[in-house]
Amino acid sequence: MCGLAGFIDNNRSRSSESLEALSHKMCSTLINRGPDDFGSWVDEKSGIAMSHRRLAIQDTTLAGHQPMVSKSGRYIIIYNGEVYNYKTLREELKKAGYVFRSQSDTEVLLAAIEIWGLSAALDKFVGMFAFALWDIKNKKLFLARDRVGIKPLYWSLQNNIFYFGSQSKSF
């Protein structure tokens, strides 16, 4: 189990430091979900901040640190869950020429999204998961979770700020 939290401040009134501080505060409420690592990512121009609390299971090295940036630099992901067929997807992506940096299923998700597109990749994921994906190129946030909703993903719109996280207590 991991914890994710973030927001988009549509007012665009915060500095990078302020965005990161609020994101860190939100994610600190989720320490019980991921005591092994913490990371955050901020884009001041877009008003977005994303943070992650990690429970390291698949790849316990720093190579599995989140938020994780895709190889092209286009996508940023924070992810909670397990994609059961990630090893099969990993082999399929390797055959397509993708070279992996880690053993994490998070990197498999990112590679699949980058190579196949979000919709096609989601169709291939089998497991329990929730994630937030920021598309830097198109300035769009995507929130997704498994078909059954096993992994929680909450969101709220307050004062023109869109919040999201693994637990509502983070907002």
Side-chain angles (χ1 to χ4, degrees):
M1 161 170 71
C2 295
L4 57 95
F7 62 92
I8 297 178
D9 182 349
N10 292 308
N11 302 311
R12 310 281 196 284
S13 59
R14 299 174 190 266
S15 67
S16 285
E17 295 78 22
S18 176
L19 290 167
E20 189 157 8
L22 178 55
S23 180
H24 186 277
K25 185 177 179 181
M26 289 172 65
C27 209
S28 70
T29 67
L30 305 174
I31 194 165
N32 62 307
R33 298 183 67 87
D36 297 332
D37 192 16
F38 169 79
S40 62
W41 180 88
V42 170
D43 179 354
E44 183 178 354
K45 286 183 180 178
S46 299
I48 186 167
M50 302 191 323
S51 293
H52 185 265
R53 295 290 327 185
R54 182 174 179 218
L55 177 63
I57 295 174
Q58 296 296 343
D59 183 339
T60 59
T61 70
L62 287 178
H65 177 79
Q66 293 183 49
M68 188 177 284
V69 181
S70 67
K71 197 176 274 191
S72 72
R74 178 177 176 177
Y75 299 105
I76 311 293
I77 195 169
I78 49 177
Y79 160 73
N80 170 34
E82 183 178 357
V83 172
Y84 304 135
N85 63 333
Y86 87 97
K87 289 181 181 178
T88 303
L89 297 175
R90 181 184 174 90
E91 290 307 312
E92 194 174 333
L93 291 161
K94 282 169 99 174
K95 287 177 184 171
Y98 191 88
V99 178
F100 287 89
R101 310 177 280 230
S102 76
Q103 297 299 312
S104 74
D105 57 347
T106 308
E107 186 181 7
V108 172
L109 266 73
L110 265 178
I113 291 164
E114 198 158 51
I115 291 173
W116 300 322
L118 180 58
S119 184
L122 281 168
D123 285 345
K124 292 181 177 243
F125 299 156
V126 176
M128 54 178 185
F129 57 87
F131 64 82
L133 179 79
W134 178 248
D135 181 339
I136 292 173
K137 179 181 173 186
N138 294 318
K139 306 288 187 220
K140 288 187 178 181
L141 176 69
F142 298 93
L143 301 178
R145 66 185 216 180
D146 60 86
R147 291 160 189 82
V148 181
I150 296 170
K151 290 296 179 182
L153 185 59
Y154 296 89
W155 61 270
S156 176
L157 182 62
Q158 303 170 31
N159 300 319
N160 210 26
I161 302 172
F162 181 79
Y163 297 95
F164 56 92
S166 297
Q167 292 181 257
S168 60
K169 71 179 180 177
S170 66
F171 357 117

